[in-house]
Structure formats: structure tokens, C-alpha cells
Amino acid sequence: DAGITQSPRYKITETGRQVTLMCHQTWSHSYMFWYRQDLGHGLRLIYYSAAADITDKGEVPDGYVVSRSKTENFPLTLESATRSQTSVYFCASSALAGGNEQFFGPGTRLTVL
Amino acid sequence: GQQLNQSPQSMFIQEGEDVSMNCTSSSIFNTWLWYKQDPGEGPVLLIALYKAGELTSNGRLTAQFGITRKDSFLNISASIPSDVGIYFCAGRVGNQFYFGTGTSLTVIP
């Protein structure tokens, strides 16, 4: 199906483990974004990418790594998960420079025990 | 990071009533956006505002970009049950977006 998808939708892991959240979009959008959503904080930008092989830090990048070898994929890796990274993670994409018209994926709920 | 103060935090209204919510910031933004999020889903863009003073409508929704570029409001007229959800404002600076903490709207039939 066309659109933006995230996998897995739910993940439980343990402190110290590496976790990778996947994001895939079929629109060939240039811009992709990763956000985390926590109660009391709304959505906070972790990393974004303007094109393949171009990534940049957002508001809360510590503890996360991203890559963008292909335009359609933008995986987010927690190299050593911590309890504070328990959150709902949203991926978004946009075709426009600056990405005003952002389209969000359904989210991944991550729990770190 | 940038702080967006969104109010009210929650609203309980009767079907048919009008709704108003706003977002303020200590920083200037180039763009203001309003999103709606349904449970278990990602946010969906409702309205985008690009110029100070701009007033834009989308059906029963109306939003304005404040003259100072530090605030925006969203109005929903004649609310219906499907308006239930969480509404977020967002401000853009460069390629980064900053979101408010959301307004939870409950519409009582």
C-alpha cells in the first residue's frame, strides 16, 4: 500500500539492548523526520533528513542514531536503550522543502524495561 | 528547545458548540501548523499558516497566524462527535518543527 509505514508497531525491550525502528515511505518524499511523543511534552524532533545520506539533529538526538541510504527508508536506532526512551515514536515525511505538509506514520510504541 | 504553550489542556463541550484553542511562544516562527491526532494514529495536518496576520479556513476550522508571529489560534465551529481527538499546534523555524503539548477535545452528543 502507498503511504508511510512503521515497524514494529509495538516493541518491548530491556535496558542496554539495541533497538531499530523502521520507517518506509512510498511517495519518494525528500524529507523524513523522527519524533517522540511523551505526555506533557507533545512531539519532539529527534532527527531529520533532507535527502538520502543527509541527516541532521533535532531537539532531542542523544541516544539515537539514524541513517538514510535510500530515499524511502529512514531507520532509527537506539544503540543502548534506556528507560527514559520509553515513548511513542512517529516517523513523518514531506515532499516540500522545509516540509510543511508532513505526513505521519501510525507510530511505534516502545517500552524499555 | 523552543517552548510552545498550548491552551486549554482539555475541553469538554456539547455537540454544536464552537471551540477555541490557542498556542503561544516566546520565539518567532515562520510557519504555524495545526494537527489533529486520533487515538493510536499519527497526527494529521489540518491547517498551515505562512504569513503573520493570515486567517485560513478549512471547512468548519479557522486558524490565524498572530501578528507578532509568536501565537496562533484554532477555532472549530458547530462541533460534531468526530471532532474528538487531540489538537496540536506546531511552529516551524528552518527545517525544524516544535509542537505544543496538545489540547484534548471531548464532544458530548
Side-chain angles (χ1 to χ4, degrees):
Chain A
D1 288 340
I4 183 165
T5 57
Q6 293 182 235
S7 62
R9 292 294 313 276
Y10 302 89
K11 177 74 177 177
I12 299 174
T13 191
E14 294 177 336
T15 300
R17 297 228 181 212
Q18 183 178 77
V19 177
T20 296
L21 309 184
M22 304 301 294
C23 179
H24 176 77
Q25 52 103 354
T26 60
W27 294 306
S28 298
H29 284 172
S30 297
Y31 282 78
M32 296 188 75
F33 307 81
W34 272 108
Y35 294 88
R36 59 177 291 172
Q37 185 174 35
D38 306 288
L39 275 175
H41 288 281
L43 286 147
R44 290 181 292 175
L45 183 64
I46 304 171
Y47 269 96
Y48 67 98
S49 168
D53 297 321
I54 300 174
T55 62
D56 212 341
K57 294 179 180 179
E59 187 182 355
V60 290
D62 293 344
Y64 303 96
V65 174
V66 294
S67 62
R68 187 131 180 245
S69 57
K70 292 184 178 181
T71 300
E72 60 267 29
N73 296 324
F74 191 38
L76 176 74
T77 298
L78 288 67
E79 292 188 305
S80 178
T82 64
R83 289 197 181 89
S84 65
Q85 292 177 309
T86 293
S87 186
V88 181
Y89 291 85
F90 287 99
C91 178
S93 73
S94 173
L96 301 177
N100 279 341
E101 304 286 341
Q102 288 189 335
F103 297 91
F104 283 82
T108 294
R109 183 175 292 276
L110 175 68
T111 301
V112 183
L113 301 176
Chain B
Q2 308 281 358
Q3 189 84 14
L4 269 69
N5 299 306
Q6 192 170 343
S7 64
Q9 282 189 323
S10 61
M11 302 180 75
F12 293 81
I13 61 168
Q14 291 287 138
E15 183 177 357
E17 288 184 356
D18 296 343
V19 173
S20 184
M21 59 189 79
N22 67 76
C23 205
T24 61
S25 171
S26 57
S27 303
I28 289 174
F29 288 110
N30 300 324
T31 301
W32 280 96
L33 307 165
W34 285 94
Y35 287 84
K36 181 184 180 225
Q37 185 177 26
D38 292 327
E41 297 183 14
V44 174
L45 182 67
L46 298 173
I47 292 180
L49 303 157
Y50 302 104
K51 291 193 298 188
E54 180 181 352
L55 184 72
T56 296
S57 294
N58 178 8
R60 294 179 295 106
L61 278 59
T62 301
Q64 185 159 28
F65 192 142
I67 291 291
T68 64
R69 295 166 63 192
K70 294 182 178 181
D71 63 325
S72 177
F73 72 76
L74 175 71
N75 287 341
I76 305 173
S77 63
S79 59
I80 59 178
S82 62
D83 290 334
V84 165
I86 302 178
Y87 292 79
F88 290 98
C89 62
R92 173 195 161 193
V93 175
N95 286 326
Q96 298 211 23
F97 294 80
Y98 300 90
F99 283 76
T101 51
T103 294
S104 175
L105 178 64
T106 301
V107 179
I108 302 166

